[in-house]
Amino acid sequence: MCPEEPNRLSERAANIADTVRYLERINPNIEHFLSQCDAYLAFNSDDGVSAFVNEVKALILHACSEFMNSNTSDISAYRNLLQKLARRRVRDPRLKVFTTNYDMCFETAASDLGMVTIDGFSYTRKRRFDGKHFTYDIVRREADSHEFTEGIYHLLKLHGSVSWSREGTEIYEHAAPSPENACLIYPAKGKYQQAFLQPHLELLSRFLEFLRQPNSCLIIAGFGFNDDHLSEPIYSAIQSNPSLKLILCDFHGIPHLHNRGRHGSSAYWGKFHDLAMEGFDIHFISASFADMVSHIPHLRTASPAEQLANAVRRIKGGA
């Protein structure tokens, strides 16, 4: 097997790296690079570095927005996940999806399925973020009764979204926010501090609240555990909440477990492995997100007609 060609900085990026004294030139880490730029700008006024950082943020915003318009984009795994987990019994708690991704995959998948996304934004013409909207729900009201509607789920985008715009102290939904106004926690070591600003603080607090709920199951897919403000609460919760179930899925799951914090893998993989060996309810799946979703059973409630058909099958099977 031929070794992969290492990633290298462009000439312009290398010049900026020289200015801010960023030393990783082979397989550079964008988070470390931008963190070094931010640290440099905190003490220096440099138009060149500022322009470079703004252009990188614009590229990130564009890349996370435009790929959905490509003919090659495939969000079938997102649709399958929502079909299987969001259409649960109406008396069960709503499915909660926590994501650090900026893209619109879940919103688009839900729209394709005719599902409703409760994302913390109002239902007014100009949608404004307010955490109280997570406490709202949708019911089907008849003349003398009402019941909760199927196909509703909660989406909490912990690091913001390509469709969020910050206008003063308020956050609004916007089809194409500018890089300056986009409400995103861009890759940087400073994301820990940014997570304690609104609306991220509201979303993070709801994530922490979920980790304390009894009989909860947290499925983690494609998360590298490089964000300490999220990794440490999960690590603490699995030890303090005896009924919390944790399923960790990653395409490189096995190498991560063996690396134990080396070769670019987070040390948390080793920590979770140690807890699993001690008997904590932690399970590891080495698979892609799509492969994992394909093995999740349907939790959809059977309709009265389906219940009748199932009963007939059982009777015929026992005859």
Side-chain angles (χ1 to χ4, degrees):
M1 180 181 294
C2 297
E4 294 184 1
E5 186 70 21
N7 295 317
R8 298 180 184 275
L9 294 174
S10 66
E11 181 178 354
R12 184 188 177 200
N15 292 333
I16 297 295
D18 288 336
T19 301
V20 302
R21 298 181 181 179
Y22 175 70
L23 303 179
E24 297 175 355
R25 301 308 173 89
I26 299 177
N27 295 324
N29 183 301
I30 185 174
E31 184 170 303
H32 296 168
F33 191 8
L34 290 181
S35 297
Q36 193 73 13
C37 291
D38 288 341
Y40 174 83
L41 290 173
F43 297 95
N44 300 274
S45 178
D46 191 313
D47 293 339
V49 175
S50 295
F52 175 78
V53 171
N54 289 334
E55 289 178 27
V56 171
K57 291 181 177 180
L59 286 173
I60 293 173
L61 181 62
H62 181 270
C64 293
S65 304
E66 292 303 314
F67 86 95
M68 290 293 295
N69 299 325
S70 171
N71 294 329
T72 60
S73 62
D74 181 10
I75 60 170
S76 58
Y78 294 84
R79 287 193 293 267
N80 291 339
L81 179 70
L82 293 178
Q83 282 180 317
K84 291 181 175 182
L85 296 183
R87 286 176 171 165
R88 55 178 64 188
R89 296 177 302 179
V90 294
R91 64 176 178 269
D92 290 338
R94 297 297 192 189
L95 170 69
K96 292 180 174 61
V97 176
F98 302 94
T99 179
T100 57
N101 292 348
Y102 310 136
D103 57 58
M104 301 285 289
C105 290
F106 275 108
E107 296 96 320
T108 304
S111 178
D112 292 344
L113 296 170
M115 292 184 174
V116 176
T117 302
I118 296 178
D119 55 5
F121 282 81
S122 64
Y123 295 95
T124 53
R125 180 174 176 82
K126 187 175 183 180
R127 303 189 69 210
R128 182 175 65 87
F129 181 88
D130 191 325
K132 70 180 181 182
H133 294 295
F134 284 114
T135 64
Y136 294 176
D137 212 319
I138 299 176
V139 298
R140 183 184 297 107
R141 188 177 298 277
E142 303 293 344
D144 55 352
S145 65
H146 67 272
E147 61 181 9
F148 288 100
T149 306
E150 282 189 350
I152 313 293
Y153 79 105
H154 288 197
L155 177 63
L156 297 93
K157 305 181 83 168
L158 301 173
H159 286 177
S161 175
V162 296
S163 64
W164 297 3
S165 178
R166 187 182 298 276
E167 301 178 20
T169 60
E170 302 290 351
I171 308 300
Y172 292 96
E173 189 175 64
H174 194 288
S178 66
E180 295 78 18
N181 294 334
C183 184
L184 301 177
I185 297 181
Y186 287 100
K189 286 294 185 182
K191 66 173 65 173
Y192 179 82
Q193 289 83 358
Q194 295 180 57
F196 289 91
L197 301 175
Q198 293 292 12
H200 312 294
L201 178 59
E202 172 70 27
L203 299 168
L204 178 61
S205 66
R206 292 186 178 274
F207 175 62
L208 300 180
E209 180 184 5
F210 167 81
L211 294 176
R212 295 191 294 267
Q213 295 298 315
N215 301 315
S216 295
C217 178
L218 180 64
I219 302 175
I220 300 176
F223 180 63
F225 293 102
N226 294 313
D227 297 332
D228 290 346
H229 63 287
L230 301 177
S231 303
E232 187 60 29
I234 297 172
Y235 180 67
S236 299
I238 196 66
Q239 298 174 83
S240 60
N241 184 350
S243 63
L244 177 64
K245 299 173 180 60
L246 186 60
I247 300 174
L248 305 180
C249 174
D250 193 280
F251 191 73
H252 299 289
I254 293 177
H256 285 320
L257 292 175
H258 287 299
N259 289 341
R260 299 188 66 87
R262 298 170 297 171
H263 309 300
S265 298
S266 170
Y268 281 99
W269 285 97
K271 292 181 178 181
F272 285 120
H273 175 265
D274 293 342
L275 290 180
M277 297 302 294
E278 294 176 17
F280 287 87
D281 203 349
I282 304 175
H283 307 273
F284 300 91
I285 302 175
S286 185
S288 67
F289 175 64
D291 289 337
M292 180 202 69
V293 170
S294 68
H295 288 87
I296 295 177
H298 280 273
L299 298 183
R300 180 175 175 271
T301 306
S303 67
E306 291 170 331
Q307 294 177 25
L308 177 60
N310 292 334
V312 171
R313 293 191 191 97
R314 287 194 296 269
I315 294 173
K316 291 175 65 177

